[in-house]
Amino acid sequence: MRPAELASDEASSVDVWRHAWVECERLHGRRYDLSVLLEPTSPLRRAEDVERTVAALLSGDYSAAATVSPTPGHFSPFKALSTDDRGVIRPLMPEDLRVRRRQDAPPSYHVNGLCYAALRATVVEQGTIIEQKCMAVVIDRPVINIDDRFDLELAEFIAARGA
């Protein structure tokens, strides 16, 4: 069982994963060098997503692997904005990284939560998941992270279409 502080909305995935990892090692009396995290808020994963993520981790000198999705051009971080404390719009990126047209932005990706695989040192010892030696596993189909009722309805719609 998770301690109360890891069963809250504020608990981080890496802290929950680290706890589960260490507890499994304690209960089974053995050390695990690799583990996989499958977040329940990303239910549209397929077995091949998990297989590809583990294979990516093991394919080179990587400490972790994570599934990512291409970020649509109209949501590119190179076009993103923020606001100051008065509500005035400011570019999020420095001038030399901004682009005028979304078509000119380099490809960008966002974590989709389908699958993470990591070595023990990454999660248990360093307390990280996505770090400098994390291999991207690109998933180029509709997926969803369920954070509210609309996301749940969207996930049901995508699942019903077999996407």
PDB file of all heavy atoms in Angstrom, residues 134-162:
ATOM      1  N   CYS A 134      17.215   9.994 -21.979  1.00  0.00           N
ATOM      2  CA  CYS A 134      15.904   9.371 -22.121  1.00  0.00           C
ATOM      3  C   CYS A 134      15.564   9.270 -23.610  1.00  0.00           C
ATOM      4  O   CYS A 134      15.507  10.280 -24.308  1.00  0.00           O
ATOM      5  CB  CYS A 134      14.847  10.191 -21.387  1.00  0.00           C
ATOM      6  SG  CYS A 134      13.215   9.432 -21.409  1.00  0.00           S
ATOM      7  N   MET A 135      15.337   8.063 -24.074  1.00  0.00           N
ATOM      8  CA  MET A 135      15.031   7.806 -25.480  1.00  0.00           C
ATOM      9  C   MET A 135      13.542   8.027 -25.757  1.00  0.00           C
ATOM     10  O   MET A 135      12.694   7.539 -25.014  1.00  0.00           O
ATOM     11  CB  MET A 135      15.425   6.366 -25.822  1.00  0.00           C
ATOM     12  CG  MET A 135      15.177   5.977 -27.235  1.00  0.00           C
ATOM     13  SD  MET A 135      16.216   6.949 -28.325  1.00  0.00           S
ATOM     14  CE  MET A 135      15.949   6.122 -29.854  1.00  0.00           C
ATOM     15  N   ALA A 136      13.237   8.756 -26.812  1.00  0.00           N
ATOM     16  CA  ALA A 136      11.848   9.008 -27.208  1.00  0.00           C
ATOM     17  C   ALA A 136      11.310   7.843 -28.021  1.00  0.00           C
ATOM     18  O   ALA A 136      11.980   7.348 -28.933  1.00  0.00           O
ATOM     19  CB  ALA A 136      11.762  10.288 -28.030  1.00  0.00           C
ATOM     20  N   VAL A 137      10.102   7.433 -27.711  1.00  0.00           N
ATOM     21  CA  VAL A 137       9.367   6.436 -28.486  1.00  0.00           C
ATOM     22  C   VAL A 137       8.139   7.168 -29.027  1.00  0.00           C
ATOM     23  O   VAL A 137       7.196   7.450 -28.281  1.00  0.00           O
ATOM     24  CB  VAL A 137       8.961   5.221 -27.621  1.00  0.00           C
ATOM     25  CG1 VAL A 137       8.153   4.223 -28.430  1.00  0.00           C
ATOM     26  CG2 VAL A 137      10.192   4.566 -27.000  1.00  0.00           C
ATOM     27  N   VAL A 138       8.185   7.522 -30.297  1.00  0.00           N
ATOM     28  CA  VAL A 138       7.134   8.351 -30.885  1.00  0.00           C
ATOM     29  C   VAL A 138       5.897   7.507 -31.193  1.00  0.00           C
ATOM     30  O   VAL A 138       5.978   6.484 -31.865  1.00  0.00           O
ATOM     31  CB  VAL A 138       7.639   9.060 -32.159  1.00  0.00           C
ATOM     32  CG1 VAL A 138       6.528   9.889 -32.786  1.00  0.00           C
ATOM     33  CG2 VAL A 138       8.851   9.927 -31.835  1.00  0.00           C
ATOM     34  N   ILE A 139       4.766   7.959 -30.672  1.00  0.00           N
ATOM     35  CA  ILE A 139       3.465   7.333 -30.924  1.00  0.00           C
ATOM     36  C   ILE A 139       2.683   8.314 -31.784  1.00  0.00           C
ATOM     37  O   ILE A 139       2.341   9.404 -31.347  1.00  0.00           O
ATOM     38  CB  ILE A 139       2.709   7.064 -29.600  1.00  0.00           C
ATOM     39  CG1 ILE A 139       3.557   6.255 -28.617  1.00  0.00           C
ATOM     40  CG2 ILE A 139       1.361   6.418 -29.873  1.00  0.00           C
ATOM     41  CD1 ILE A 139       3.928   4.868 -29.072  1.00  0.00           C
ATOM     42  N   ASP A 140       2.412   7.915 -33.007  1.00  0.00           N
ATOM     43  CA  ASP A 140       1.769   8.825 -33.957  1.00  0.00           C
ATOM     44  C   ASP A 140       0.333   8.378 -34.242  1.00  0.00           C
ATOM     45  O   ASP A 140      -0.015   8.033 -35.370  1.00  0.00           O
ATOM     46  CB  ASP A 140       2.593   8.913 -35.234  1.00  0.00           C
ATOM     47  CG  ASP A 140       2.253  10.161 -36.038  1.00  0.00           C
ATOM     48  OD1 ASP A 140       1.509  11.013 -35.517  1.00  0.00           O
ATOM     49  OD2 ASP A 140       2.730  10.274 -37.175  1.00  0.00           O
ATOM     50  N   ARG A 141      -0.462   8.344 -33.190  1.00  0.00           N
ATOM     51  CA  ARG A 141      -1.892   8.043 -33.302  1.00  0.00           C
ATOM     52  C   ARG A 141      -2.575   8.794 -32.157  1.00  0.00           C
ATOM     53  O   ARG A 141      -1.913   9.237 -31.209  1.00  0.00           O
ATOM     54  CB  ARG A 141      -2.154   6.539 -33.210  1.00  0.00           C
ATOM     55  CG  ARG A 141      -1.834   5.924 -31.877  1.00  0.00           C
ATOM     56  CD  ARG A 141      -2.298   4.452 -31.786  1.00  0.00           C
ATOM     57  NE  ARG A 141      -2.250   4.005 -30.415  1.00  0.00           N
ATOM     58  CZ  ARG A 141      -1.167   3.576 -29.791  1.00  0.00           C
ATOM     59  NH1 ARG A 141      -0.004   3.517 -30.424  1.00  0.00           N
ATOM     60  NH2 ARG A 141      -1.221   3.201 -28.535  1.00  0.00           N
ATOM     61  N   PRO A 142      -3.874   8.943 -32.205  1.00  0.00           N
ATOM     62  CA  PRO A 142      -4.553   9.663 -31.119  1.00  0.00           C
ATOM     63  C   PRO A 142      -4.435   8.925 -29.787  1.00  0.00           C
ATOM     64  O   PRO A 142      -4.703   7.719 -29.712  1.00  0.00           O
ATOM     65  CB  PRO A 142      -6.013   9.708 -31.571  1.00  0.00           C
ATOM     66  CG  PRO A 142      -5.986   9.442 -33.039  1.00  0.00           C
ATOM     67  CD  PRO A 142      -4.781   8.573 -33.282  1.00  0.00           C
ATOM     68  N   VAL A 143      -3.997   9.628 -28.768  1.00  0.00           N
ATOM     69  CA  VAL A 143      -3.981   9.120 -27.392  1.00  0.00           C
ATOM     70  C   VAL A 143      -4.463  10.250 -26.491  1.00  0.00           C
ATOM     71  O   VAL A 143      -4.528  11.407 -26.924  1.00  0.00           O
ATOM     72  CB  VAL A 143      -2.583   8.622 -26.957  1.00  0.00           C
ATOM     73  CG1 VAL A 143      -2.133   7.452 -27.805  1.00  0.00           C
ATOM     74  CG2 VAL A 143      -1.557   9.727 -27.000  1.00  0.00           C
ATOM     75  N   ILE A 144      -4.790   9.926 -25.273  1.00  0.00           N
ATOM     76  CA  ILE A 144      -5.333  10.945 -24.372  1.00  0.00           C
ATOM     77  C   ILE A 144      -4.895  10.650 -22.944  1.00  0.00           C
ATOM     78  O   ILE A 144      -4.773   9.498 -22.566  1.00  0.00           O
ATOM     79  CB  ILE A 144      -6.879  11.010 -24.476  1.00  0.00           C
ATOM     80  CG1 ILE A 144      -7.481  12.182 -23.724  1.00  0.00           C
ATOM     81  CG2 ILE A 144      -7.526   9.741 -24.017  1.00  0.00           C
ATOM     82  CD1 ILE A 144      -7.606  13.405 -24.549  1.00  0.00           C
ATOM     83  N   ASN A 145      -4.640  11.699 -22.192  1.00  0.00           N
ATOM     84  CA  ASN A 145      -4.442  11.614 -20.747  1.00  0.00           C
ATOM     85  C   ASN A 145      -5.751  12.045 -20.118  1.00  0.00           C
ATOM     86  O   ASN A 145      -6.262  13.132 -20.404  1.00  0.00           O
ATOM     87  CB  ASN A 145      -3.324  12.562 -20.282  1.00  0.00           C
ATOM     88  CG  ASN A 145      -1.970  11.959 -20.457  1.00  0.00           C
ATOM     89  OD1 ASN A 145      -1.696  10.891 -19.929  1.00  0.00           O
ATOM     90  ND2 ASN A 145      -1.120  12.636 -21.183  1.00  0.00           N
ATOM     91  N   ILE A 146      -6.298  11.222 -19.260  1.00  0.00           N
ATOM     92  CA  ILE A 146      -7.596  11.530 -18.661  1.00  0.00           C
ATOM     93  C   ILE A 146      -7.388  12.323 -17.377  1.00  0.00           C
ATOM     94  O   ILE A 146      -6.893  11.792 -16.379  1.00  0.00           O
ATOM     95  CB  ILE A 146      -8.396  10.242 -18.393  1.00  0.00           C
ATOM     96  CG1 ILE A 146      -8.643   9.512 -19.713  1.00  0.00           C
ATOM     97  CG2 ILE A 146      -9.709  10.573 -17.689  1.00  0.00           C
ATOM     98  CD1 ILE A 146      -9.281   8.157 -19.572  1.00  0.00           C
ATOM     99  N   ASP A 147      -7.768  13.596 -17.439  1.00  0.00           N
ATOM    100  CA  ASP A 147      -7.690  14.475 -16.277  1.00  0.00           C
ATOM    101  C   ASP A 147      -9.054  14.994 -15.842  1.00  0.00           C
ATOM    102  O   ASP A 147      -9.188  15.522 -14.743  1.00  0.00           O
ATOM    103  CB  ASP A 147      -6.764  15.661 -16.571  1.00  0.00           C
ATOM    104  CG  ASP A 147      -5.318  15.227 -16.726  1.00  0.00           C
ATOM    105  OD1 ASP A 147      -4.860  14.393 -15.919  1.00  0.00           O
ATOM    106  OD2 ASP A 147      -4.657  15.716 -17.654  1.00  0.00           O
ATOM    107  N   ASP A 148     -10.048  14.875 -16.721  1.00  0.00           N
ATOM    108  CA  ASP A 148     -11.391  15.352 -16.362  1.00  0.00           C
ATOM    109  C   ASP A 148     -12.427  14.560 -17.159  1.00  0.00           C
ATOM    110  O   ASP A 148     -12.095  13.680 -17.946  1.00  0.00           O
ATOM    111  CB  ASP A 148     -11.527  16.861 -16.604  1.00  0.00           C
ATOM    112  CG  ASP A 148     -11.203  17.278 -18.030  1.00  0.00           C
ATOM    113  OD1 ASP A 148     -11.456  16.495 -18.987  1.00  0.00           O
ATOM    114  OD2 ASP A 148     -10.700  18.397 -18.214  1.00  0.00           O
ATOM    115  N   ARG A 149     -13.688  14.863 -16.947  1.00  0.00           N
ATOM    116  CA  ARG A 149     -14.773  14.122 -17.588  1.00  0.00           C
ATOM    117  C   ARG A 149     -14.709  14.209 -19.118  1.00  0.00           C
ATOM    118  O   ARG A 149     -14.950  13.235 -19.808  1.00  0.00           O
ATOM    119  CB  ARG A 149     -16.118  14.649 -17.094  1.00  0.00           C
ATOM    120  CG  ARG A 149     -17.291  13.836 -17.603  1.00  0.00           C
ATOM    121  CD  ARG A 149     -18.512  14.109 -16.761  1.00  0.00           C
ATOM    122  NE  ARG A 149     -19.497  13.119 -16.579  1.00  0.00           N
ATOM    123  CZ  ARG A 149     -19.389  11.813 -16.439  1.00  0.00           C
ATOM    124  NH1 ARG A 149     -18.229  11.262 -16.509  1.00  0.00           N
ATOM    125  NH2 ARG A 149     -20.411  11.030 -16.246  1.00  0.00           N
ATOM    126  N   PHE A 150     -14.391  15.384 -19.644  1.00  0.00           N
ATOM    127  CA  PHE A 150     -14.289  15.535 -21.097  1.00  0.00           C
ATOM    128  C   PHE A 150     -13.216  14.604 -21.662  1.00  0.00           C
ATOM    129  O   PHE A 150     -13.425  13.953 -22.691  1.00  0.00           O
ATOM    130  CB  PHE A 150     -13.991  16.987 -21.478  1.00  0.00           C
ATOM    131  CG  PHE A 150     -13.786  17.162 -22.965  1.00  0.00           C
ATOM    132  CD1 PHE A 150     -14.866  17.173 -23.822  1.00  0.00           C
ATOM    133  CD2 PHE A 150     -12.501  17.274 -23.491  1.00  0.00           C
ATOM    134  CE1 PHE A 150     -14.686  17.303 -25.209  1.00  0.00           C
ATOM    135  CE2 PHE A 150     -12.316  17.409 -24.869  1.00  0.00           C
ATOM    136  CZ  PHE A 150     -13.409  17.428 -25.721  1.00  0.00           C
ATOM    137  N   ASP A 151     -12.059  14.532 -20.993  1.00  0.00           N
ATOM    138  CA  ASP A 151     -10.991  13.629 -21.437  1.00  0.00           C
ATOM    139  C   ASP A 151     -11.469  12.179 -21.440  1.00  0.00           C
ATOM    140  O   ASP A 151     -11.129  11.408 -22.343  1.00  0.00           O
ATOM    141  CB  ASP A 151      -9.756  13.743 -20.535  1.00  0.00           C
ATOM    142  CG  ASP A 151      -9.066  15.082 -20.630  1.00  0.00           C
ATOM    143  OD1 ASP A 151      -9.273  15.809 -21.629  1.00  0.00           O
ATOM    144  OD2 ASP A 151      -8.296  15.408 -19.697  1.00  0.00           O
ATOM    145  N   LEU A 152     -12.244  11.791 -20.428  1.00  0.00           N
ATOM    146  CA  LEU A 152     -12.777  10.429 -20.364  1.00  0.00           C
ATOM    147  C   LEU A 152     -13.698  10.165 -21.551  1.00  0.00           C
ATOM    148  O   LEU A 152     -13.599   9.123 -22.211  1.00  0.00           O
ATOM    149  CB  LEU A 152     -13.525  10.206 -19.050  1.00  0.00           C
ATOM    150  CG  LEU A 152     -14.189   8.838 -18.893  1.00  0.00           C
ATOM    151  CD1 LEU A 152     -13.158   7.713 -18.965  1.00  0.00           C
ATOM    152  CD2 LEU A 152     -14.958   8.787 -17.569  1.00  0.00           C
ATOM    153  N   GLU A 153     -14.566  11.119 -21.854  1.00  0.00           N
ATOM    154  CA  GLU A 153     -15.466  10.962 -23.001  1.00  0.00           C
ATOM    155  C   GLU A 153     -14.688  10.901 -24.308  1.00  0.00           C
ATOM    156  O   GLU A 153     -15.012  10.110 -25.202  1.00  0.00           O
ATOM    157  CB  GLU A 153     -16.486  12.102 -23.019  1.00  0.00           C
ATOM    158  CG  GLU A 153     -17.468  12.023 -21.869  1.00  0.00           C
ATOM    159  CD  GLU A 153     -18.361  13.250 -21.742  1.00  0.00           C
ATOM    160  OE1 GLU A 153     -18.246  14.179 -22.572  1.00  0.00           O
ATOM    161  OE2 GLU A 153     -19.166  13.280 -20.798  1.00  0.00           O
ATOM    162  N   LEU A 154     -13.645  11.706 -24.422  1.00  0.00           N
ATOM    163  CA  LEU A 154     -12.810  11.686 -25.622  1.00  0.00           C
ATOM    164  C   LEU A 154     -12.087  10.344 -25.745  1.00  0.00           C
ATOM    165  O   LEU A 154     -12.016   9.765 -26.832  1.00  0.00           O
ATOM    166  CB  LEU A 154     -11.814  12.847 -25.593  1.00  0.00           C
ATOM    167  CG  LEU A 154     -10.971  13.068 -26.838  1.00  0.00           C
ATOM    168  CD1 LEU A 154     -11.830  13.225 -28.088  1.00  0.00           C
ATOM    169  CD2 LEU A 154     -10.083  14.293 -26.638  1.00  0.00           C
ATOM    170  N   ALA A 155     -11.581   9.815 -24.641  1.00  0.00           N
ATOM    171  CA  ALA A 155     -10.911   8.513 -24.658  1.00  0.00           C
ATOM    172  C   ALA A 155     -11.887   7.416 -25.079  1.00  0.00           C
ATOM    173  O   ALA A 155     -11.527   6.525 -25.871  1.00  0.00           O
ATOM    174  CB  ALA A 155     -10.314   8.201 -23.288  1.00  0.00           C
ATOM    175  N   GLU A 156     -13.101   7.475 -24.573  1.00  0.00           N
ATOM    176  CA  GLU A 156     -14.110   6.487 -24.964  1.00  0.00           C
ATOM    177  C   GLU A 156     -14.403   6.589 -26.453  1.00  0.00           C
ATOM    178  O   GLU A 156     -14.551   5.569 -27.145  1.00  0.00           O
ATOM    179  CB  GLU A 156     -15.380   6.685 -24.137  1.00  0.00           C
ATOM    180  CG  GLU A 156     -15.211   6.275 -22.690  1.00  0.00           C
ATOM    181  CD  GLU A 156     -16.371   6.682 -21.803  1.00  0.00           C
ATOM    182  OE1 GLU A 156     -17.193   7.566 -22.203  1.00  0.00           O
ATOM    183  OE2 GLU A 156     -16.486   6.118 -20.697  1.00  0.00           O
ATOM    184  N   PHE A 157     -14.496   7.802 -26.979  1.00  0.00           N
ATOM    185  CA  PHE A 157     -14.742   8.012 -28.404  1.00  0.00           C
ATOM    186  C   PHE A 157     -13.589   7.433 -29.237  1.00  0.00           C
ATOM    187  O   PHE A 157     -13.821   6.707 -30.213  1.00  0.00           O
ATOM    188  CB  PHE A 157     -14.896   9.522 -28.686  1.00  0.00           C
ATOM    189  CG  PHE A 157     -15.003   9.859 -30.138  1.00  0.00           C
ATOM    190  CD1 PHE A 157     -16.179   9.664 -30.828  1.00  0.00           C
ATOM    191  CD2 PHE A 157     -13.901  10.372 -30.819  1.00  0.00           C
ATOM    192  CE1 PHE A 157     -16.273   9.970 -32.193  1.00  0.00           C
ATOM    193  CE2 PHE A 157     -13.983  10.686 -32.174  1.00  0.00           C
ATOM    194  CZ  PHE A 157     -15.172  10.488 -32.862  1.00  0.00           C
ATOM    195  N   ILE A 158     -12.356   7.727 -28.848  1.00  0.00           N
ATOM    196  CA  ILE A 158     -11.190   7.219 -29.587  1.00  0.00           C
ATOM    197  C   ILE A 158     -11.147   5.696 -29.529  1.00  0.00           C
ATOM    198  O   ILE A 158     -10.922   5.026 -30.538  1.00  0.00           O
ATOM    199  CB  ILE A 158      -9.891   7.851 -29.038  1.00  0.00           C
ATOM    200  CG1 ILE A 158      -9.861   9.345 -29.339  1.00  0.00           C
ATOM    201  CG2 ILE A 158      -8.655   7.150 -29.631  1.00  0.00           C
ATOM    202  CD1 ILE A 158      -8.742  10.089 -28.601  1.00  0.00           C
ATOM    203  N   ALA A 159     -11.380   5.141 -28.363  1.00  0.00           N
ATOM    204  CA  ALA A 159     -11.361   3.675 -28.200  1.00  0.00           C
ATOM    205  C   ALA A 159     -12.448   3.022 -29.043  1.00  0.00           C
ATOM    206  O   ALA A 159     -12.218   1.978 -29.680  1.00  0.00           O
ATOM    207  CB  ALA A 159     -11.530   3.309 -26.727  1.00  0.00           C
ATOM    208  N   ALA A 160     -13.630   3.621 -29.085  1.00  0.00           N
ATOM    209  CA  ALA A 160     -14.739   3.054 -29.871  1.00  0.00           C
ATOM    210  C   ALA A 160     -14.435   3.067 -31.364  1.00  0.00           C
ATOM    211  O   ALA A 160     -14.891   2.196 -32.099  1.00  0.00           O
ATOM    212  CB  ALA A 160     -16.020   3.845 -29.599  1.00  0.00           C
ATOM    213  N   ARG A 161     -13.619   4.018 -31.800  1.00  0.00           N
ATOM    214  CA  ARG A 161     -13.238   4.096 -33.218  1.00  0.00           C
ATOM    215  C   ARG A 161     -12.081   3.174 -33.562  1.00  0.00           C
ATOM    216  O   ARG A 161     -11.699   3.038 -34.720  1.00  0.00           O
ATOM    217  CB  ARG A 161     -12.877   5.532 -33.587  1.00  0.00           C
ATOM    218  CG  ARG A 161     -14.098   6.446 -33.453  1.00  0.00           C
ATOM    219  CD  ARG A 161     -13.901   7.725 -34.080  1.00  0.00           C
ATOM    220  NE  ARG A 161     -13.593   7.543 -35.502  1.00  0.00           N
ATOM    221  CZ  ARG A 161     -13.494   8.510 -36.369  1.00  0.00           C
ATOM    222  NH1 ARG A 161     -13.697   9.732 -35.979  1.00  0.00           N
ATOM    223  NH2 ARG A 161     -13.201   8.283 -37.611  1.00  0.00           N
ATOM    224  N   GLY A 162     -11.480   2.587 -32.531  1.00  0.00           N
ATOM    225  CA  GLY A 162     -10.370   1.661 -32.762  1.00  0.00           C
ATOM    226  C   GLY A 162      -9.101   2.346 -33.203  1.00  0.00           C
ATOM    227  O   GLY A 162      -8.250   1.746 -33.842  1.00  0.00           O
TER     228      GLY A 162
END
